[in-house]
């Protein structure tokens, strides 16, 4: 049974599916896709009646060629991402938002900010008071709270639209 090429075709299709699903669910760009392409090529070779002795080298060669072919595109896409290492909540580091509940009204008090369409509890790195409506930048994520800094330090005037 293991010597039959059709057995290997099924194995290679399973390998292709595994790498394809992994590529879809994994953060990053085109890391597992070359292996899925190699698995598909090996499955085709096996369906042509050739065994593992031919399909495995095809898997390796096509995977390597696909990796080399996709690498420039992957680098270009990674370069255009605002925070390429950001996964989950860490994607917010460096992004600006707006204070929607004053931060630091009491010593060590937290407030609330809106970053994009999401509302987060927030603290400041310096325990400074940041009024409602002011712009902030996310410095880091600690658990479920954002550590922020004001983008404009002049708190002597109300921001536009709140006067």
């Amino acid at each position: 049974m293991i010597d039959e090429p059709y057995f290997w075709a099924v194995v290679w299709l399973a390998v292709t599916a595994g790498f394809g699903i992994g590529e879809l669910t994994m953060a990053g760009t085109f890391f597992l896709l070359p292996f899925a392409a190699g698995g598909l090529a090996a499955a085709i070779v096996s369906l042509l009646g050739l065994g593992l002795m031919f399909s495995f080298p095809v898997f390796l060669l096509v995977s390597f060629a696909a990796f080399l072919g996709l690498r420039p595109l992957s680098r270009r896409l990674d370069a255009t991402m605002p925070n390429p290492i950001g996964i989950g909540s860490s994607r917010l580091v460096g992004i600006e938002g707006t204070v929607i509940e004053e931060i630091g009204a009491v010593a060590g008090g937290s407030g609330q900010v809106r970053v994009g369409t999401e509302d987060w509890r927030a603290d400041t790195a310096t325990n400074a008071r940041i009024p409602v409506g002011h712009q902030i930048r996310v410095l880091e994520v600690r658990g479920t709270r954002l550590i922020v800094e004001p983008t404009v330090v002049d708190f002597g005037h109300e921001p536009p639209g709140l006067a």
Side-chain angles (χ1 to χ4, degrees), residues 106-153:
V106 296
S110 64
Q112 198 164 6
V113 297
R114 179 166 292 138
V115 179
T117 59
E118 301 175 8
D119 296 346
W120 288 81
R121 296 302 297 167
D123 296 324
T124 63
T126 61
N127 291 328
R129 181 181 155 280
I130 307 176
V132 172
H134 278 78
Q135 296 297 305
I136 53 88
R137 178 177 301 108
V138 178
L139 298 176
E140 66 179 290
V141 179
R142 289 186 192 156
T144 60
R145 291 180 186 260
L146 301 180
I147 307 301
V148 301
E149 69 178 356
T151 56
V152 178
V153 184

Side-chain angles (χ1 to χ4, degrees), residues 5-160:
Y6 298 111
F7 170 78
W8 287 108
V10 172
V11 170
W12 287 119
L13 287 174
V15 166
T16 301
F19 282 126
I21 291 169
E23 177 66 38
L24 292 173
T25 59
M26 191 172 134
T29 50
F30 306 128
F31 182 71
L32 296 176
L33 188 61
F35 300 110
L40 184 60
I44 292 169
V45 167
S46 292
L47 285 173
L48 293 175
L50 302 173
L52 184 61
M53 192 167 94
F54 292 101
S55 62
F56 188 69
V58 166
F59 169 75
L60 293 176
L61 289 172
V62 171
S63 295
F64 184 69
F67 176 78
L68 291 178
L70 289 172
R71 198 71 205 131
L73 176 62
S74 177
R75 285 188 181 151
R76 193 169 44 244
L77 291 173
D78 285 345
T80 61
M81 298 173 88
N83 188 4
I85 61 170
I87 298 171
S89 61
S90 65
R91 75 190 184 288
L92 300 174
V93 173
I95 305 294
E96 293 187 4
T98 306
V99 177
I100 58 174
E101 178 185 305
E102 185 174 296
I103 301 171
V106 296
S110 64
Q112 198 164 6
V113 297
R114 179 166 292 138
V115 179
T117 59
E118 301 175 8
D119 296 346
W120 288 81
R121 296 302 297 167
D123 296 324
T124 63
T126 61
N127 291 328
R129 181 181 155 280
I130 307 176
V132 172
H134 278 78
Q135 296 297 305
I136 53 88
R137 178 177 301 108
V138 178
L139 298 176
E140 66 179 290
V141 179
R142 289 186 192 156
T144 60
R145 291 180 186 260
L146 301 180
I147 307 301
V148 301
E149 69 178 356
T151 56
V152 178
V153 184
D154 180 20
F155 293 147
H157 301 88
E158 287 294 316

